[in-house]
């Protein structure tokens, strides 16, 4: 059922319904839990490393790559399903899946088993943001969209911060109560996974009660007709992006499409083989290769199957530069977020409980303030300048590097904690602005797919590469500080992409309908 906006403000602007804010609050809590389940591995990293006999690069793989590649890979077909099916039901199923897999992580006895559980968490969490972004964009008008998306996105930092504090306390309390292992033989870090995973099953019941808005209602657009076969479209999407089903999908496009697909696969396989021959770890680069090939296969297929969506997303330089700019911002942000607790524990002598409480609390506060204020500022700038939101993205691309450099070169733990605050706050301010920009560049029916594509940047570029590469450099150099600081080489590229997006977005948004119509969209 739809909840119409009733009444107007003193300026004659239609009011956003109260129910929209209720939905936003529930979605915020979903995102909090999303990042509790995703981020808790950071505070548990040192114990996991010891018990499972892992290296820093293995920890980066577990946190970033094993989760991130499959999160990105399934994000596109699940984003497509969010565009065609009931978004509330999709999010309910996804929340139940990732919560179950988080709990099962507590029973892992090897790095391989933990990687399998992390893959399951990634697939489940891939349902959340495509559904949430689309729901928020239909409940909130364009003038409030960056603010609403920023509030939702603040759950990222609150959840990440809470996970560190909760994880540290659970490990301390459990290990004190059961020094040799507790019920079912679980040690502290295993119990932490189990305890934080279970609440999601209860929250899934609350999500199930939310109303489904009409698509395009916030912009006064007529609702598109219901998709006749959303799950068939979802399966067709899987065939285009999940290897080796991608070969079947390519064959359906004809001989030329199949040859191009195989050629792309061969090129990517060759690059991965070259990296492995140079001594790079097989799991990391095979996973990255799968992700890159999957995206290539999907994009090639999308051009044949949905030319208007391809035109506004994949063939849209403004969209792509926005994704790259924020994806590389996330590259640094995820690196610092994951490695800060191990650095405090290993290098500066903090206990897990102390590091979790301080870093988690500061991270939650700084991230919440940064992403919320960034969203508000982005919306204000957007009123005066069609590309105003990109100014916030540019700010987030450059300023955090100064605080990161200070944090990971000091031997003073107080200064380390203090520098994490501006680093997180300044980096997080760009999220709402970038997300809202991508939503404005597409038609309402494409928002779930646009979100899935946007998340590729924050996962394949950011999550799947940043924490791993920092860990890899740490392993090779013997210094976690060098590992993290070496990632600052991406800052000039991030800035260049953000500037290009700033230059291209106004025209791309202004001719959105015309480009979609030229590609075959019926408007």
């Amino acid at each position: 059922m739809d909840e119409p906006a009733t009444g107007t403000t003193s300026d004659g602007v239609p009011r956003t319904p109260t129910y929209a804010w209720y939905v936003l609050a529930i979605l915020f809590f979903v995102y909090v839990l999303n990042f509790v389940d995703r981020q808790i591995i950071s505070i548990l990293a040192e114990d996991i490393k010891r018990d499972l006999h892992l290296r820093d690069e293995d920890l980066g793989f577990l946190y970033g790559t094993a989760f991130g590649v499959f999160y990105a890979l399934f994000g596109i077909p699940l984003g497509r399903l969010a565009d065609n099916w009931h978004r509330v039901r999709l999010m309910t199923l996804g929340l139940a899946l990732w919560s179950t897999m988080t709990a099962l992580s507590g029973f892992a006895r090897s790095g391989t088993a933990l990687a399998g559980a992390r893959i399951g968490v990634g697939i489940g969490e891939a349902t959340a943001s495509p559904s949430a972004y689309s729901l928020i964009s239909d409940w909130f008008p364009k003038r409030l969209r960056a603010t609403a998306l920023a509030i939702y996105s603040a759950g990222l930092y609150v959840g990440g911060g809470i996970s560190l504090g909760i994880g540290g306390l659970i490990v301390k309390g459990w290990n004190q109560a059961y020094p040799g292992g507790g019920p079912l033989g679980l040690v502290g870090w295993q119990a932490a996974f189990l305890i934080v995973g279970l609440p999601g099953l209860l929250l899934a019941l609350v999500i199930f009660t939310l109303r489904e808005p009409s698509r395009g209602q916030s912009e006064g657009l007529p609702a598109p007709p219901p998709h006749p076969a959303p799950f068939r479209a979802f399966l067709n999407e899987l065939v285009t992006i999940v290897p080796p089903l991608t070969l079947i999908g390519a064959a359906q496009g004809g001989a030329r499409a199949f040859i191009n697909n195989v050629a792309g696969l061969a090129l990517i396989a060759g690059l991965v083989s070259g990296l492995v021959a140079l001594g790079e770890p097989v799991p990391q680069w095979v996973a990255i290769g799968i992700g890159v090939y999957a995206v290539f296969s999907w994009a090639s297929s999308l051009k044949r199957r949905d030319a208007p969506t391809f035109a506004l997303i994949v063939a849209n330089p403004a969209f792509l530069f926005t994704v790259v700019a924020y994806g590389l911002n996330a590259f640094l942000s995820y690196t610092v977020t994951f490695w800060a607790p191990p650095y405090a524990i290993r290098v500066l002598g903090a206990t897990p409980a102390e590091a979790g409480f301080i870093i988690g609390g500061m991270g939650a506060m700084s991230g919440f303030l940064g992403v919320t204020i960034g969203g508000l500022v982005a919306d204000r700038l957007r009123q005066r300048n069609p590309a105003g939101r990109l100014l916030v993205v540019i700010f987030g691309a450059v300023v955090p590097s100064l605080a990161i450099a200070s944090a990971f070169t000091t031997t003073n733990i107080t200064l380390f904690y203090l520098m994490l605050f501006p680093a997180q706050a300044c980096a997080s301010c760009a999220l709402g602005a970038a997300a809202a920009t991508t939503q404005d560049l597409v038609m309402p029916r494409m928002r779930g797919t646009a979100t899935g594509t946007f998340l590729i940047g924050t996962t394949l570029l950011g999550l799947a590469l940043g924490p791993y590469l920092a860990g890899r450099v740490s392993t090779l150099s013997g210094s976690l500080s060098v590992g993290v600081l070496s990632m600052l080489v991406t800052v000039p590229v991030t800035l260049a992409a953000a500037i290009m997006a700033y230059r291209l977005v106004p025209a791309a948004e202004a001719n959105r309908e015309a480009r979609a119509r030229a590609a075959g969209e019926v408007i």
Side-chain angles (χ1 to χ4, degrees), residues 490-501:
T490 62
V491 171
V493 181
T494 312
L495 177 60
I499 292 173
M500 289 301 299

Side-chain angles (χ1 to χ4, degrees), residues 100-274:
T100 300
M101 298 305 293
T102 299
L104 290 177
S105 299
F107 296 97
R109 295 291 190 275
S110 68
T112 301
L114 187 53
R118 293 288 293 173
I119 289 170
V121 174
I123 294 172
E125 291 195 7
T127 64
S129 286
S131 300
Y133 278 36
S134 183
L135 287 168
I136 290 169
S137 293
D138 282 332
W139 279 117
F140 289 87
K142 186 178 293 187
R143 64 186 174 84
L144 292 174
R145 194 165 292 155
T147 300
L149 287 171
I151 292 172
Y152 165 74
S153 299
L156 180 163
Y157 302 100
V158 174
I162 289 174
S163 72
L164 300 183
I166 290 176
L169 291 175
I170 292 174
V171 169
K172 180 180 178 181
W174 188 274
N175 288 340
Q176 286 178 346
Y178 307 105
L184 303 177
L186 301 179
V187 296
W189 66 266
Q190 293 173 312
F193 277 123
L194 185 62
I195 291 169
V196 302
L198 296 178
L201 299 176
L202 298 176
L203 185 56
L205 299 177
V206 178
I207 290 294
F208 187 72
T209 66
L210 296 181
R211 302 174 187 175
E212 180 82 6
S214 173
R215 297 179 193 272
Q217 73 173 29
S218 66
E219 298 175 46
L221 298 175
H227 195 284
F231 283 95
R232 182 182 300 170
F234 170 68
L235 292 174
N236 289 338
E237 203 75 23
L238 281 180
V239 168
T240 70
I241 197 168
V242 177
L245 299 178
T246 46
L247 295 174
I248 299 174
Q252 293 174 349
R256 183 175 180 179
F258 182 77
I259 292 171
N260 289 340
N261 189 280
V262 172
L265 174 60
L267 176 61
I268 294 167
L271 292 173
V272 170
S273 298

Side-chain angles (χ1 to χ4, degrees), residues 343 348 402-412 415-416 419-420:
Y343 186 84
L348 301 179
L402 302 176
I404 293 170
S406 298
F408 286 89
T409 53
T410 184
T411 56
N412 185 310
L415 181 59
F416 174 76
M419 285 297 98
L420 291 179

Side-chain angles (χ1 to χ4, degrees), residues 335-381:
T335 297
V336 172
T337 299
F338 177 69
W339 286 114
Y343 186 84
I345 295 167
R346 186 189 312 173
V347 179
L348 301 179
T351 65
E354 173 195 311
F357 178 76
I358 297 177
I359 296 175
M362 293 181 65
M365 184 182 299
S366 62
F368 180 85
L369 289 174
V371 76
T372 304
I373 294 172
L376 291 169
V377 171
D379 278 339
R380 290 288 183 89
L381 292 173

Side-chain angles (χ1 to χ4, degrees), residues 295-315:
V295 172
F296 164 75
S297 179
W298 168 79
S300 300
S301 175
L302 182 66
K303 186 176 183 178
R304 301 191 306 269
R305 296 178 296 110
D306 190 343
T309 298
F310 180 89
L312 294 188
I313 296 178
V314 180

Side-chain angles (χ1 to χ4, degrees), residues 500-513:
M500 289 301 299
Y502 177 84
R503 296 177 59 184
L504 295 172
V505 159
E509 185 177 348
N511 64 20
R512 180 185 70 172
E513 284 79 5

Side-chain angles (χ1 to χ4, degrees), residues 427-470:
S428 63
C429 72
L431 178 52
T437 298
T438 61
Q439 295 289 292
D440 290 347
L441 291 172
V442 301
M443 302 300 294
R445 76 166 181 86
M446 305 170 186
R447 283 177 178 149
T449 305
T451 303
T453 309
F454 175 66
L455 293 177
I456 288 174
T458 62
T459 50
L460 288 184
L461 282 178
L463 184 57
L465 287 177
Y468 165 77
L469 289 175

